[in-house]
Amino acid sequence: MGKFSIISRHIVLTGNQQFHPKLPVYGIILIDEEVIEDVILIQEDVPSKTVAEKYADWNPLDYSDYYVSPGIIDLNVTRTWESYSDLTKAAVSGGTCFLLQDSLKTQNSDQLFCDVANVTTISDENACDIDELLKGAFAVKAYNFPPSGDYKPLINQIEFVMQKLLSRDIPLLFDPTAPNQRMILQASPFRTETLDSRINKKPSRNSQTNTFAGAFPDPIDSGVDDSPKENYGTVSSPFGHCAQAPKVKDPSSALLVSNTLRPPQRRKTYTIFDDLNRRIRENQDNIQNLSQAEVHTYNASGTTSFDAKKSNFSQRLKRPPPLSIKKAETNKEKLYIYYLANFPYTWEVSGVDKILQSMHPESKIHIVNLSSAAALNRVRQAKQNFKNLTSEVGSLHLCFTSDSVKEGDTRFKSHPPIRNTANCNLLWELLKFKGIDSISSQHHYVPSEYKTDNFQTALRGISSIEFTMQIPWTILNIPVKTSANFEHYLIRLSKWLSLQPANTLGLKNRGSIEKGKLADLVVWDPYEKVSDAMSFYGNSNPFVSQQLLGSIHKVFVRGKLAFEEGVFKPFGRVFK
């Protein structure tokens, strides 16, 4: 668009400016071609018309009533079925200006509506060619256990790969989930079947198992350091859980030791993380989902009864009347609770432990595809030893819980799985306490023909890239009575969606509205409801039926108007 500017009373600033606003600010953004020339703050009592007149040579666009946020940077997108054109259209409509996508398909001649970079997948099979694979790579990705047979694992060569990456400023995006090899076919019995075979598969009632992978977890350490922390003082959690005072032992039971020989006793102190650790540990011990699955199993087995009144004494001495067995019909393969019971959180925690054991203190690792609060808390605890260790959470895991999934609704079948309500609440607390660094879409579109009403045969994947920003923003606003109360979360939202992902990838020219950076901008109304008509994926998108906040009106990609009120312009390109 050449030389122009944007006036807004709600500019969301998150960068390293000298001024660190806690709320969106009034100002004008000067843009020259693709780059932000400057961001000038304006006093609240100055009319926007006066500002427009002063900067008339910058061709100002007056968006005073709209909010202007930095464009989203999405680090976790998988493209299997849709074209680049469809994917980037959906992405830019949701405010995404740059996405890192994992695809086994080669680049085609499709038009692009936002910027795209391809992640390089590393496995044991191609690790020896890593020098060639790293040429022009933004990041590399690896799986401890691939989500499908199309990918290969990185297990034996992981230390070799991390050593190679140390000398380069390239992050490793690692999916650490480590299923129990004895249980994986029970959890996903058709993973080795061809696509056509699995969608036509008719599960046998006789073959249904009455046990679950989650009932036989591998032994793992709790991973929670219960020892008190130093230099923090006593803190009460803002979520209503007060820190517990340390219990004092009976002095009469102590050994009689001279005070001159006893080391000085330091007063125990607690932090908000001690309380969070405790609740995460309690949620680990909660077997609610497993119990529900077993209850359904026992109901299907039927109940047996014997009515003694229907037989006299002589009959009872000979032969009792026939037993009455009443069975409760249940379709196990259509119940999400059975699917979840076969993907326990311990698989995620074990995988995190494994990658931590292989890491160098300087390794740049970004942990992806975790939904367990216990596993993400493990990553948080390890950050004190690994300064370049980061993690993310998928927007869908901040919105949906296992209670959201109705019978046969396999749109919710994803990798990683959607877990229970308590886990979702803990994910939010980890995010707010800076225990999780960023939010991604974890988008993976699957055609409806492969989303059968059977959780065993349906493919995993959720279409979510259109609403990456609106999902967490809507949840944040649920308890809000006045908009001003939570507008500071607009700042944090842009850090989770833009600034932190840019830092992870080392994109110094993106991620915030700041002088010298690319003009990736989202013009939106956070309090306007999103229209259902905006969905590109129709009913395959589980967010369509949700009442989401945050209608996006315009999106600028590198200073070019790529999206405006449903109209798209193909200004995106592939970055190498």
Side-chain angles (χ1 to χ4, degrees), residues 335-346:
L335 296 178
Y336 182 74
I337 199 69
Y338 281 88
Y339 170 73
L340 183 58
N342 277 308
F343 286 89
Y345 79 91
T346 53

Side-chain angles (χ1 to χ4, degrees), residues 159-328:
E159 293 185 8
F160 168 75
V161 169
M162 287 195 289
Q163 189 65 35
K164 281 284 187 178
L165 293 174
L166 279 177
S167 59
R168 306 166 186 259
D169 191 24
I170 299 177
L172 171 64
L173 280 61
F174 196 78
D175 180 341
T177 304
N180 185 310
Q181 296 297 324
R182 294 180 293 108
M183 297 292 179
I184 188 59
L185 288 180
Q186 180 171 301
S188 185
F190 304 114
R191 63 179 288 111
T192 59
E193 300 276 354
T194 62
L195 289 178
D196 292 337
S197 173
R198 69 184 290 165
I199 64 173
N200 295 315
K201 207 80 173 181
K202 300 296 182 183
S204 170
R205 292 279 185 246
N206 296 328
S207 65
Q208 289 184 341
T209 178
N210 291 331
T211 59
F212 309 98
F216 302 96
D218 293 329
I220 59 172
D221 181 70
S222 68
V224 176
D225 181 9
D226 292 324
S227 61
K229 311 297 185 294
E230 300 178 5
N231 302 323
Y232 284 95
T234 303
V235 181
S236 295
S237 167
F239 292 88
H241 300 275
C242 297
Q244 298 294 319
K247 295 181 179 180
V248 181
K249 296 181 179 180
D250 182 2
S252 63
S253 63
L255 294 176
L256 296 177
V257 181
S258 171
N259 289 333
T260 58
L261 299 178
R262 181 177 299 172
Q265 298 298 306
R266 180 171 294 176
R267 183 180 179 182
K268 293 183 177 181
T269 56
Y270 293 86
T271 74
I272 54 177
F273 288 111
D274 294 305
D275 176 66
L276 182 59
N277 289 340
R278 175 183 59 80
R279 282 180 285 125
I280 288 176
R281 185 169 58 252
E282 289 174 353
N283 189 53
Q284 291 174 358
D285 296 334
N286 188 331
I287 59 171
Q288 173 188 355
N289 299 121
L290 183 61
S291 299
Q292 290 175 345
E294 291 189 341
V295 166
H296 284 289
T297 298
Y298 298 144
N299 285 341
S301 299
T303 56
T304 303
S305 62
F306 170 66
D307 190 352
K309 295 181 179 179
K310 293 183 179 181
S311 63
N312 55 36
F313 180 75
S314 60
Q315 289 176 323
R316 292 201 302 271
L317 290 178
K318 298 178 182 178
R319 185 175 182 179
L323 298 177
S324 174
I325 301 177
K326 183 180 180 180
K327 287 192 174 183

Side-chain angles (χ1 to χ4, degrees), residues 74-88:
D74 197 334
L75 301 183
N76 197 349
V77 177
T78 301
R79 185 181 70 94
T80 303
W81 305 98
E82 72 253 75
S83 65
Y84 270 99
S85 178
D86 290 342
L87 172 64
T88 55

Side-chain angles (χ1 to χ4, degrees), residues 1 63 554-557 559-564 568-569 571:
M1 293 182 64
Y63 299 148
K554 306 174 192 295
V555 178
F556 293 84
V557 177
K560 298 178 178 64
L561 188 57
F563 172 78
E564 181 180 19
F568 298 85
K569 296 293 180 64
F571 292 124

Side-chain angles (χ1 to χ4, degrees), residues 90-111:
V92 77
S93 72
T96 298
C97 293
F98 182 96
L99 62 86
L100 188 67
Q101 64 101 34
D102 182 1
S103 175
L104 295 177
K105 293 183 178 181
T106 57
Q107 169 67 26
N108 51 30
S109 58
D110 288 343
Q111 291 180 319

Side-chain angles (χ1 to χ4, degrees), residues 7-11 24-27 43-44 46-48 63-64 66:
I7 300 171
S8 172
R9 290 185 175 274
H10 314 283
I11 300 176
V25 298
Y26 180 21
Q43 293 182 355
E44 290 293 332
V46 177
S48 59
Y63 299 148
S64 297
Y66 292 109

Side-chain angles (χ1 to χ4, degrees), residues 421-448:
T421 301
N423 184 80
C424 180
N425 292 335
L426 291 168
L427 290 179
W428 270 110
E429 294 197 36
L430 281 168
L431 189 66
K432 291 178 179 179
F433 292 161
K434 301 181 180 180
I436 300 174
D437 300 280
S438 58
I439 299 174
S440 70
S441 68
Q442 291 185 1
H443 170 85
H444 187 187
Y445 164 69
V446 175
S448 57

